[in-house]
Amino acid sequence: MATRRLALPMLLAASGLGLWMLLAGAESVFGLDLGSIGFAVLVLSTWSALHGVWRLSLTDAELQVSPAEWKAWIGTVFMTVAVLYFVARMHVFQTPNLADSPEAREVGRNLVLLLVAWTVLSSTVGRRWKDRVQEDERDREIEREAAGWSRHAVTAMIVGLAVLLGISPADRLEWATLPMIANLLVLVLMVGCLVDNGASAVRHWLDRR
């Protein structure tokens, strides 16, 4: 039991360390690539959590939370990490050609791996509740409201980006290369997904309280 109590703080500490190393911006210390090490630590702690989720039995506290809420919280955490990482590395897309930027390819690869980890963890959590109702009318209503918040956020960001590009003088748009604009649009979609999951998670939590 004591080991179980210590497992969560240890996983959270490892995840926090990995995330800090990933976002710190320091390319290397003592010849070691902090970004790659941080990503490895982050993924390792995620898979450790996945293993724990697979082995542990359902607790009373877990049963009080619906499967839809658990999936929303997992999505919120993963999208928060992905957005923070993307924003911290956005400068690598200030290049006229992505093929000439290994840093940009690394960012794309790491984001895909995060997406895979999110998908596998969500699927594993879903299998834990295969005997429970996965979604009811309340969950669908919350999902519709969260989707509305996401659409509003995406619309506002697209309009803001269009206005910024439209009113800025040409000499101040040197940063706006085609790869940068394309990835800004990807970031808008990611933030929209984050708003969707976050609004759903918070609404579920408020209803439960």
Side-chain angles (χ1 to χ4, degrees):
M1 185 63 66
T3 302
R4 287 187 179 184
R5 286 198 298 266
L6 290 174
L8 181 58
M10 291 175 64
L11 285 173
L12 290 176
S15 299
L17 176 63
L19 183 59
W20 175 80
M21 293 170 71
L22 195 63
L23 302 179
E27 297 301 329
S28 64
V29 173
F30 302 119
L32 299 175
D33 185 351
L34 281 187
S36 298
I37 295 174
F39 186 77
V41 171
L42 190 62
V43 171
L44 180 61
S45 60
T46 298
W47 286 109
S48 299
L50 175 62
H51 178 70
V53 167
W54 182 260
R55 290 181 58 86
L56 294 179
S57 58
L58 290 171
T59 64
D60 292 338
E62 187 177 357
L63 289 172
Q64 294 176 5
V65 180
S66 69
E69 182 177 352
W70 274 112
K71 292 176 182 177
W73 282 116
I74 292 172
T76 301
V77 171
F78 272 91
M79 286 309 303
T80 299
V81 172
V83 168
L84 289 176
Y85 174 64
F86 204 15
V87 171
R89 291 292 182 266
M90 186 62 72
H91 63 276
V92 303
F93 299 108
Q94 288 182 331
T95 174
N97 189 356
L98 289 179
D100 298 331
S101 175
E103 295 86 359
R105 293 196 297 271
E106 180 183 5
V107 170
R109 182 177 66 251
N110 288 345
L111 288 174
V112 170
L113 290 175
L114 279 175
L115 176 61
V116 171
W118 174 16
T119 302
V120 173
L121 183 58
S122 297
S123 176
T124 301
V125 170
R127 286 197 294 269
R128 283 172 61 82
W129 297 306
K130 60 183 179 181
D131 297 327
R132 297 180 60 189
V133 176
Q134 297 296 308
E135 187 180 65
D136 56 20
E137 185 59 35
R138 167 178 165 272
D139 295 326
R140 287 189 286 271
E141 177 61 29
I142 291 176
E143 183 179 347
R144 285 192 292 270
E145 291 185 11
W149 281 99
S150 176
R151 286 194 299 272
H152 293 323
V154 169
T155 300
M157 287 184 289
I158 290 292
V159 171
L161 180 59
V163 171
L164 174 65
L165 295 176
I167 66 175
S168 298
D171 58 348
R172 295 188 179 181
L173 290 176
E174 295 179 356
W175 59 271
T177 62
L178 291 179
M180 174 62 77
I181 295 175
N183 282 277
L184 281 174
L185 294 176
V186 172
L187 178 61
V188 167
L189 295 178
M190 291 172 62
V191 173
C193 186
L194 173 59
V195 171
D196 191 345
N197 283 278
S200 179
V202 171
R203 174 62 192 280
H204 274 103
W205 175 72
L206 290 176
D207 280 3
R208 214 166 17 90
R209 292 177 62 86

